[in-house]
């Protein structure tokens, strides 16, 4: 092999290696998610696909009796606006932001969950007694920050499993 042929070979090989780099967005989603980490989420497509689509938000009962709550924080509300959980069971919270940085707090508790766009914040919560809690944003997030509050209803543990799935995420049915 002479030098000219070798040079053509090397340049061709380099170009072939570069093509996948310019096509990175065509890499299939699971691989991309793996590369970015499982907590990455695209704030612009929350409502369109994935874990945080509207009918997946709210409270979901797990087989072990605990519940998972999925929420979105956005200027200037929490979605769902009112959530329902059973008293005394572990609550796995998964929340992300559609825009700015927010902080989800529950009045009367020490819980504070920082919520950032592009990533899923997770927290393990437990509310020992039934009752109503105001949920308040405690991170300045813009003009409507002081009005950014919603509600958490904690119902007695034995009442919760009797609720229909559509009643669990939405206090309006109570
Ligand atoms: Cu959201 Cu302050």
């Amino acid at each position: 092999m002479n030098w000219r042929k070798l040079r053509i070979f090397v340049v061709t090989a380099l170009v072939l290696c570069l093509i996948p780099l310019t096509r990175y967005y065509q890499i299939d989603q699971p691989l991309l998610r793996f590369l970015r980490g499982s907590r990455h989420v695209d704030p612009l497509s929350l409502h369109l696909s994935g874990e945080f689509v509207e009918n997946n938000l709210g409270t979901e009962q797990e087989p072990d009796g605990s519940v998972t709550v999925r929420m979105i924080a956005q200027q200037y509300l929490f979605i769902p606006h009112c959530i329902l959980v059973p008293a005394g069971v572990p609550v796995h919270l998964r929340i992300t932001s559609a825009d700015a940085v927010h902080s989800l707090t529950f009045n009367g508790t020490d819980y504070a969950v920082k919520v950032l766009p592009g990533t899923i914040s997770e927290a393990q919560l437990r509310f020992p007694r039934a009752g109503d809690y105001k949920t308040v944003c405690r991170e300045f997030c813009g003009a409507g920050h002081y009005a950014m509050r919603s509600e958490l209803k904690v119902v007695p543990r034995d009442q919760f499993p009797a609720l229909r799935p559509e009643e669990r995420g939405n206090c309006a049915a109570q």
Side-chain angles (χ1 to χ4, degrees):
M1 200 189 271
N2 62 31
W3 285 113
R4 194 181 136 76
K5 275 186 179 162
L6 182 65
R7 223 163 57 208
I8 291 170
F9 175 78
V10 168
V11 168
T12 308
L14 275 175
V15 168
L16 287 176
C17 289
L18 285 174
I19 288 171
L21 288 179
T22 65
R23 301 276 175 196
Y24 68 93
Y25 52 86
Q26 291 179 344
I27 297 173
D28 63 318
Q29 287 297 320
L31 179 59
L32 208 56
R33 218 172 291 139
F34 173 77
L35 293 173
R36 285 162 154 177
S38 61
R39 292 173 68 166
H40 175 88
V41 61
D42 179 5
L44 296 178
S45 64
L46 290 179
H47 304 280
L48 303 176
S49 66
E51 182 179 347
F52 293 91
V53 293
E54 192 175 352
N55 62 10
N56 208 30
L57 297 177
T59 308
E60 185 184 331
Q61 184 144 40
E62 302 296 346
D64 65 359
S66 68
V67 295
T68 298
V69 174
R70 291 186 181 84
M71 295 175 79
I72 295 175
Q74 67 178 55
Q75 290 162 324
Y76 297 98
L77 50 107
F78 294 105
I79 311 169
H81 189 63
C82 181
I83 51 173
L84 208 67
V85 300
V89 309
V91 175
H92 317 293
L93 175 69
R94 293 174 66 79
I95 183 169
T96 188
S97 168
D99 39 49
V101 177
H102 305 274
S103 175
L104 172 61
T105 65
F106 302 91
N107 272 1
T109 75
D110 294 334
Y111 296 134
V113 183
K114 193 133 177 160
V115 190
L116 305 112
T119 175
I120 301 170
S121 299
E122 291 180 276
Q124 307 299 327
L125 317 173
R126 188 190 282 262
F127 300 91
R129 275 175 301 280
D132 294 353
Y133 297 80
K134 285 269 173 262
T135 57
V136 179
C137 179
R138 295 240 185 255
E139 178 83 28
F140 183 78
C141 54
H145 161 71
Y146 295 103
M148 186 167 169
R149 44 201 63 206
S150 58
E151 244 180 298
L152 169 78
K153 273 186 194 291
V154 182
V155 297
R157 188 177 182 162
D158 52 339
Q159 271 182 24
F160 191 79
L163 299 172
R164 294 195 306 274
E166 63 270 27
E167 292 175 319
R168 288 178 188 160
N170 185 350
C171 306
Q174 285 294 291

